Every structure is written in structure tokens, then in C-alpha cells.
Amino acid sequence: MSIKLQSCDDHVIVIDREAAKLSQTIKDIMEDFEDFESPLPIPNVYGEILEKVVEYCTYHHQHPDPTAEARLQDKRLDDIIPWDREFIKVDNSIIFDLMMAANYLDIRHLYQLCCKTVATKLMSKAPEQIRAEFEIENDFTPEEEEIVRRENGWPINGDIR
């Protein structure tokens, strides 16, 4: 049995009911929803992102991972399974949209995957590299930046100033 999900931009996507239940939010909506012919509205997620969420849920429903709960509690960054590693090789903007969708839809494993991916991208990078990676504008004056660097001990060329 399948259900239809409707994104905020009116894309309708079909997903297996059991796969959809990987989202606690959708599972809760399904309990209150009686008409499964009409699409379930997913108001905070755009179609492109909802398609990725459905892809993720479908794969993980069809390929359950008995170690997933243990890995969810683990803070390691090197334990991402190969399928997830390939799935999350997308632009940063997509990762952040997926993170927001996973949070809204309460898909803990997808949310954790997004967080680990961002954390991995941040590791061992200087503030300038992080700004470039995530297209963040530097709104500090040079004087303010120097104060923040001193107060927080940011590493510069391997040395902490």
C-alpha cells in the first residue's frame, strides 16, 4: 500500500506507507488521516527535497540497518554507510534543505546524516575556508575579527593566536 505526499509547491510524490513511517511526523499525520486517496500535505518541504526524503526513506525501509540506532547515538563521523555517503553527495544548499526537512518530518537518521556531513566539512578548516565553503559573508571588521580570534583561540596556520 502506498500514500501520496504533497509538497508546499504542489508536487505529489508516492511512497510506500511503511517507508513513510520512518518519519514520525508523517506517521502521526497518518494516524489522524482517514482519506488515503488524497495526498497528505507536507507544507514546509519543497518537491525537490521531498523527493530526496522519499528516496532516503524508501531505501532505508527496503534495507533496514540493525546498527542504525547504535550509530545514531554515536558521535563518530566516519561511520556513514556507503549508500548514505553517495546519497548525501549534493550541494550544500540541498544538505541544509534536507536537514530542515528531516528535522520537520522527524526523521532522526536523515537529520543525523546531514549533521555529520556538515560537521565533516567543517573539520580542520579555518574560518575563511568555512566562509568560502558555505558562502558566508564576513561581516566582521578586521579589528572585531582579531578580538574574536584572541577570545576563542582560533587556529591560524596551525598556531593558536
mmCIF file with all atom_site columns, all heavy atoms in Angstrom, residues 142-155:
data_model
loop_
_atom_site.group_PDB
_atom_site.id
_atom_site.type_symbol
_atom_site.label_atom_id
_atom_site.label_alt_id
_atom_site.label_comp_id
_atom_site.label_asym_id
_atom_site.label_entity_id
_atom_site.label_seq_id
_atom_site.pdbx_PDB_ins_code
_atom_site.Cartn_x
_atom_site.Cartn_y
_atom_site.Cartn_z
_atom_site.occupancy
_atom_site.B_iso_or_equiv
_atom_site.pdbx_formal_charge
_atom_site.auth_seq_id
_atom_site.auth_comp_id
_atom_site.auth_asym_id
_atom_site.auth_atom_id
_atom_site.pdbx_PDB_model_num
ATOM 1   N N   . PRO A 1 142 ? 38.219 43.975 10.519 1.00 0.00 ? 142 PRO A N   1
ATOM 2   C CA  . PRO A 1 142 ? 39.463 43.281 10.904 1.00 0.00 ? 142 PRO A CA  1
ATOM 3   C C   . PRO A 1 142 ? 39.729 43.356 12.409 1.00 0.00 ? 142 PRO A C   1
ATOM 4   O O   . PRO A 1 142 ? 40.198 42.387 12.998 1.00 0.00 ? 142 PRO A O   1
ATOM 5   C CB  . PRO A 1 142 ? 40.542 44.021 10.104 1.00 0.00 ? 142 PRO A CB  1
ATOM 6   C CG  . PRO A 1 142 ? 39.806 44.556 8.911  1.00 0.00 ? 142 PRO A CG  1
ATOM 7   C CD  . PRO A 1 142 ? 38.434 44.902 9.402  1.00 0.00 ? 142 PRO A CD  1
ATOM 8   N N   . GLU A 1 143 ? 39.377 44.464 13.019 1.00 0.00 ? 143 GLU A N   1
ATOM 9   C CA  . GLU A 1 143 ? 39.588 44.617 14.460 1.00 0.00 ? 143 GLU A CA  1
ATOM 10  C C   . GLU A 1 143 ? 38.687 43.662 15.250 1.00 0.00 ? 143 GLU A C   1
ATOM 11  O O   . GLU A 1 143 ? 39.128 43.013 16.201 1.00 0.00 ? 143 GLU A O   1
ATOM 12  C CB  . GLU A 1 143 ? 39.313 46.076 14.904 1.00 0.00 ? 143 GLU A CB  1
ATOM 13  C CG  . GLU A 1 143 ? 40.283 47.082 14.330 1.00 0.00 ? 143 GLU A CG  1
ATOM 14  C CD  . GLU A 1 143 ? 39.947 47.477 12.874 1.00 0.00 ? 143 GLU A CD  1
ATOM 15  O OE1 . GLU A 1 143 ? 38.802 47.299 12.421 1.00 0.00 ? 143 GLU A OE1 1
ATOM 16  O OE2 . GLU A 1 143 ? 40.880 47.940 12.188 1.00 0.00 ? 143 GLU A OE2 1
ATOM 17  N N   . GLU A 1 144 ? 37.413 43.581 14.857 1.00 0.00 ? 144 GLU A N   1
ATOM 18  C CA  . GLU A 1 144 ? 36.486 42.672 15.538 1.00 0.00 ? 144 GLU A CA  1
ATOM 19  C C   . GLU A 1 144 ? 36.918 41.216 15.370 1.00 0.00 ? 144 GLU A C   1
ATOM 20  O O   . GLU A 1 144 ? 36.860 40.434 16.313 1.00 0.00 ? 144 GLU A O   1
ATOM 21  C CB  . GLU A 1 144 ? 35.068 42.831 14.972 1.00 0.00 ? 144 GLU A CB  1
ATOM 22  C CG  . GLU A 1 144 ? 34.408 44.148 15.309 1.00 0.00 ? 144 GLU A CG  1
ATOM 23  C CD  . GLU A 1 144 ? 33.095 44.352 14.558 1.00 0.00 ? 144 GLU A CD  1
ATOM 24  O OE1 . GLU A 1 144 ? 32.972 43.890 13.393 1.00 0.00 ? 144 GLU A OE1 1
ATOM 25  O OE2 . GLU A 1 144 ? 32.193 44.982 15.142 1.00 0.00 ? 144 GLU A OE2 1
ATOM 26  N N   . GLU A 1 145 ? 37.359 40.881 14.177 1.00 0.00 ? 145 GLU A N   1
ATOM 27  C CA  . GLU A 1 145 ? 37.808 39.518 13.911 1.00 0.00 ? 145 GLU A CA  1
ATOM 28  C C   . GLU A 1 145 ? 39.011 39.168 14.784 1.00 0.00 ? 145 GLU A C   1
ATOM 29  O O   . GLU A 1 145 ? 39.081 38.062 15.331 1.00 0.00 ? 145 GLU A O   1
ATOM 30  C CB  . GLU A 1 145 ? 38.143 39.344 12.438 1.00 0.00 ? 145 GLU A CB  1
ATOM 31  C CG  . GLU A 1 145 ? 38.361 37.900 12.068 1.00 0.00 ? 145 GLU A CG  1
ATOM 32  C CD  . GLU A 1 145 ? 38.357 37.677 10.576 1.00 0.00 ? 145 GLU A CD  1
ATOM 33  O OE1 . GLU A 1 145 ? 37.722 38.438 9.831  1.00 0.00 ? 145 GLU A OE1 1
ATOM 34  O OE2 . GLU A 1 145 ? 39.011 36.711 10.169 1.00 0.00 ? 145 GLU A OE2 1
ATOM 35  N N   . GLU A 1 146 ? 39.949 40.092 14.935 1.00 0.00 ? 146 GLU A N   1
ATOM 36  C CA  . GLU A 1 146 ? 41.124 39.840 15.774 1.00 0.00 ? 146 GLU A CA  1
ATOM 37  C C   . GLU A 1 146 ? 40.719 39.614 17.226 1.00 0.00 ? 146 GLU A C   1
ATOM 38  O O   . GLU A 1 146 ? 41.248 38.719 17.899 1.00 0.00 ? 146 GLU A O   1
ATOM 39  C CB  . GLU A 1 146 ? 42.124 40.997 15.654 1.00 0.00 ? 146 GLU A CB  1
ATOM 40  C CG  . GLU A 1 146 ? 43.424 40.757 16.393 1.00 0.00 ? 146 GLU A CG  1
ATOM 41  C CD  . GLU A 1 146 ? 44.153 39.496 15.942 1.00 0.00 ? 146 GLU A CD  1
ATOM 42  O OE1 . GLU A 1 146 ? 44.127 39.155 14.743 1.00 0.00 ? 146 GLU A OE1 1
ATOM 43  O OE2 . GLU A 1 146 ? 44.751 38.827 16.812 1.00 0.00 ? 146 GLU A OE2 1
ATOM 44  N N   . ILE A 1 147 ? 39.754 40.376 17.710 1.00 0.00 ? 147 ILE A N   1
ATOM 45  C CA  . ILE A 1 147 ? 39.275 40.209 19.087 1.00 0.00 ? 147 ILE A CA  1
ATOM 46  C C   . ILE A 1 147 ? 38.639 38.825 19.259 1.00 0.00 ? 147 ILE A C   1
ATOM 47  O O   . ILE A 1 147 ? 38.929 38.116 20.225 1.00 0.00 ? 147 ILE A O   1
ATOM 48  C CB  . ILE A 1 147 ? 38.264 41.326 19.451 1.00 0.00 ? 147 ILE A CB  1
ATOM 49  C CG1 . ILE A 1 147 ? 38.988 42.672 19.566 1.00 0.00 ? 147 ILE A CG1 1
ATOM 50  C CG2 . ILE A 1 147 ? 37.539 40.995 20.746 1.00 0.00 ? 147 ILE A CG2 1
ATOM 51  C CD1 . ILE A 1 147 ? 38.055 43.872 19.649 1.00 0.00 ? 147 ILE A CD1 1
ATOM 52  N N   . VAL A 1 148 ? 37.815 38.440 18.326 1.00 0.00 ? 148 VAL A N   1
ATOM 53  C CA  . VAL A 1 148 ? 37.157 37.124 18.395 1.00 0.00 ? 148 VAL A CA  1
ATOM 54  C C   . VAL A 1 148 ? 38.195 36.007 18.331 1.00 0.00 ? 148 VAL A C   1
ATOM 55  O O   . VAL A 1 148 ? 38.116 35.024 19.067 1.00 0.00 ? 148 VAL A O   1
ATOM 56  C CB  . VAL A 1 148 ? 36.106 36.963 17.271 1.00 0.00 ? 148 VAL A CB  1
ATOM 57  C CG1 . VAL A 1 148 ? 35.571 35.543 17.210 1.00 0.00 ? 148 VAL A CG1 1
ATOM 58  C CG2 . VAL A 1 148 ? 34.954 37.942 17.465 1.00 0.00 ? 148 VAL A CG2 1
ATOM 59  N N   . ARG A 1 149 ? 39.184 36.159 17.468 1.00 0.00 ? 149 ARG A N   1
ATOM 60  C CA  . ARG A 1 149 ? 40.237 35.145 17.358 1.00 0.00 ? 149 ARG A CA  1
ATOM 61  C C   . ARG A 1 149 ? 40.985 34.997 18.686 1.00 0.00 ? 149 ARG A C   1
ATOM 62  O O   . ARG A 1 149 ? 41.256 33.881 19.126 1.00 0.00 ? 149 ARG A O   1
ATOM 63  C CB  . ARG A 1 149 ? 41.231 35.506 16.256 1.00 0.00 ? 149 ARG A CB  1
ATOM 64  C CG  . ARG A 1 149 ? 40.701 35.288 14.865 1.00 0.00 ? 149 ARG A CG  1
ATOM 65  C CD  . ARG A 1 149 ? 41.759 35.696 13.828 1.00 0.00 ? 149 ARG A CD  1
ATOM 66  N NE  . ARG A 1 149 ? 41.212 35.743 12.502 1.00 0.00 ? 149 ARG A NE  1
ATOM 67  C CZ  . ARG A 1 149 ? 41.128 34.691 11.688 1.00 0.00 ? 149 ARG A CZ  1
ATOM 68  N NH1 . ARG A 1 149 ? 41.550 33.536 12.083 1.00 0.00 ? 149 ARG A NH1 1
ATOM 69  N NH2 . ARG A 1 149 ? 40.624 34.827 10.487 1.00 0.00 ? 149 ARG A NH2 1
ATOM 70  N N   . ARG A 1 150 ? 41.321 36.111 19.316 1.00 0.00 ? 150 ARG A N   1
ATOM 71  C CA  . ARG A 1 150 ? 42.033 36.051 20.591 1.00 0.00 ? 150 ARG A CA  1
ATOM 72  C C   . ARG A 1 150 ? 41.163 35.426 21.677 1.00 0.00 ? 150 ARG A C   1
ATOM 73  O O   . ARG A 1 150 ? 41.629 34.588 22.437 1.00 0.00 ? 150 ARG A O   1
ATOM 74  C CB  . ARG A 1 150 ? 42.491 37.446 21.023 1.00 0.00 ? 150 ARG A CB  1
ATOM 75  C CG  . ARG A 1 150 ? 43.856 37.813 20.475 1.00 0.00 ? 150 ARG A CG  1
ATOM 76  C CD  . ARG A 1 150 ? 44.398 39.099 21.045 1.00 0.00 ? 150 ARG A CD  1
ATOM 77  N NE  . ARG A 1 150 ? 43.867 40.203 20.230 1.00 0.00 ? 150 ARG A NE  1
ATOM 78  C CZ  . ARG A 1 150 ? 43.185 41.240 20.680 1.00 0.00 ? 150 ARG A CZ  1
ATOM 79  N NH1 . ARG A 1 150 ? 42.961 41.375 21.955 1.00 0.00 ? 150 ARG A NH1 1
ATOM 80  N NH2 . ARG A 1 150 ? 42.727 42.157 19.866 1.00 0.00 ? 150 ARG A NH2 1
ATOM 81  N N   . GLU A 1 151 ? 39.895 35.822 21.740 1.00 0.00 ? 151 GLU A N   1
ATOM 82  C CA  . GLU A 1 151 ? 38.992 35.316 22.781 1.00 0.00 ? 151 GLU A CA  1
ATOM 83  C C   . GLU A 1 151 ? 38.680 33.835 22.618 1.00 0.00 ? 151 GLU A C   1
ATOM 84  O O   . GLU A 1 151 ? 38.461 33.139 23.603 1.00 0.00 ? 151 GLU A O   1
ATOM 85  C CB  . GLU A 1 151 ? 37.684 36.110 22.776 1.00 0.00 ? 151 GLU A CB  1
ATOM 86  C CG  . GLU A 1 151 ? 37.829 37.518 23.296 1.00 0.00 ? 151 GLU A CG  1
ATOM 87  C CD  . GLU A 1 151 ? 36.540 38.317 23.187 1.00 0.00 ? 151 GLU A CD  1
ATOM 88  O OE1 . GLU A 1 151 ? 35.544 37.809 22.617 1.00 0.00 ? 151 GLU A OE1 1
ATOM 89  O OE2 . GLU A 1 151 ? 36.528 39.458 23.668 1.00 0.00 ? 151 GLU A OE2 1
ATOM 90  N N   . ASN A 1 152 ? 38.652 33.355 21.389 1.00 0.00 ? 152 ASN A N   1
ATOM 91  C CA  . ASN A 1 152 ? 38.246 31.974 21.143 1.00 0.00 ? 152 ASN A CA  1
ATOM 92  C C   . ASN A 1 152 ? 39.386 31.062 20.732 1.00 0.00 ? 152 ASN A C   1
ATOM 93  O O   . ASN A 1 152 ? 39.170 29.875 20.513 1.00 0.00 ? 152 ASN A O   1
ATOM 94  C CB  . ASN A 1 152 ? 37.146 31.942 20.068 1.00 0.00 ? 152 ASN A CB  1
ATOM 95  C CG  . ASN A 1 152 ? 35.892 32.599 20.568 1.00 0.00 ? 152 ASN A CG  1
ATOM 96  O OD1 . ASN A 1 152 ? 35.242 32.098 21.467 1.00 0.00 ? 152 ASN A OD1 1
ATOM 97  N ND2 . ASN A 1 152 ? 35.576 33.758 20.018 1.00 0.00 ? 152 ASN A ND2 1
ATOM 98  N N   . GLY A 1 153 ? 40.574 31.576 20.595 1.00 0.00 ? 153 GLY A N   1
ATOM 99  C CA  . GLY A 1 153 ? 41.715 30.761 20.270 1.00 0.00 ? 153 GLY A CA  1
ATOM 100 C C   . GLY A 1 153 ? 41.607 30.037 18.935 1.00 0.00 ? 153 GLY A C   1
ATOM 101 O O   . GLY A 1 153 ? 41.908 28.864 18.847 1.00 0.00 ? 153 GLY A O   1
ATOM 102 N N   . TRP A 1 154 ? 41.167 30.742 17.910 1.00 0.00 ? 154 TRP A N   1
ATOM 103 C CA  . TRP A 1 154 ? 41.080 30.130 16.590 1.00 0.00 ? 154 TRP A CA  1
ATOM 104 C C   . TRP A 1 154 ? 42.459 29.779 16.087 1.00 0.00 ? 154 TRP A C   1
ATOM 105 O O   . TRP A 1 154 ? 43.393 30.584 16.154 1.00 0.00 ? 154 TRP A O   1
ATOM 106 C CB  . TRP A 1 154 ? 40.432 31.075 15.594 1.00 0.00 ? 154 TRP A CB  1
ATOM 107 C CG  . TRP A 1 154 ? 38.956 31.237 15.739 1.00 0.00 ? 154 TRP A CG  1
ATOM 108 C CD1 . TRP A 1 154 ? 38.121 30.555 16.556 1.00 0.00 ? 154 TRP A CD1 1
ATOM 109 C CD2 . TRP A 1 154 ? 38.134 32.166 15.024 1.00 0.00 ? 154 TRP A CD2 1
ATOM 110 N NE1 . TRP A 1 154 ? 36.845 30.974 16.415 1.00 0.00 ? 154 TRP A NE1 1
ATOM 111 C CE2 . TRP A 1 154 ? 36.826 31.969 15.477 1.00 0.00 ? 154 TRP A CE2 1
ATOM 112 C CE3 . TRP A 1 154 ? 38.389 33.119 14.081 1.00 0.00 ? 154 TRP A CE3 1
ATOM 113 C CZ2 . TRP A 1 154 ? 35.757 32.701 14.984 1.00 0.00 ? 154 TRP A CZ2 1
ATOM 114 C CZ3 . TRP A 1 154 ? 37.327 33.857 13.587 1.00 0.00 ? 154 TRP A CZ3 1
ATOM 115 C CH2 . TRP A 1 154 ? 36.037 33.649 14.042 1.00 0.00 ? 154 TRP A CH2 1
ATOM 116 N N   . PRO A 1 155 ? 42.628 28.586 15.561 1.00 0.00 ? 155 PRO A N   1
ATOM 117 C CA  . PRO A 1 155 ? 43.933 28.245 14.994 1.00 0.00 ? 155 PRO A CA  1
ATOM 118 C C   . PRO A 1 155 ? 44.177 28.978 13.671 1.00 0.00 ? 155 PRO A C   1
ATOM 119 O O   . PRO A 1 155 ? 43.323 29.004 12.814 1.00 0.00 ? 155 PRO A O   1
ATOM 120 C CB  . PRO A 1 155 ? 43.860 26.740 14.757 1.00 0.00 ? 155 PRO A CB  1
ATOM 121 C CG  . PRO A 1 155 ? 42.437 26.351 14.922 1.00 0.00 ? 155 PRO A CG  1
ATOM 122 C CD  . PRO A 1 155 ? 41.696 27.488 15.526 1.00 0.00 ? 155 PRO A CD  1
#
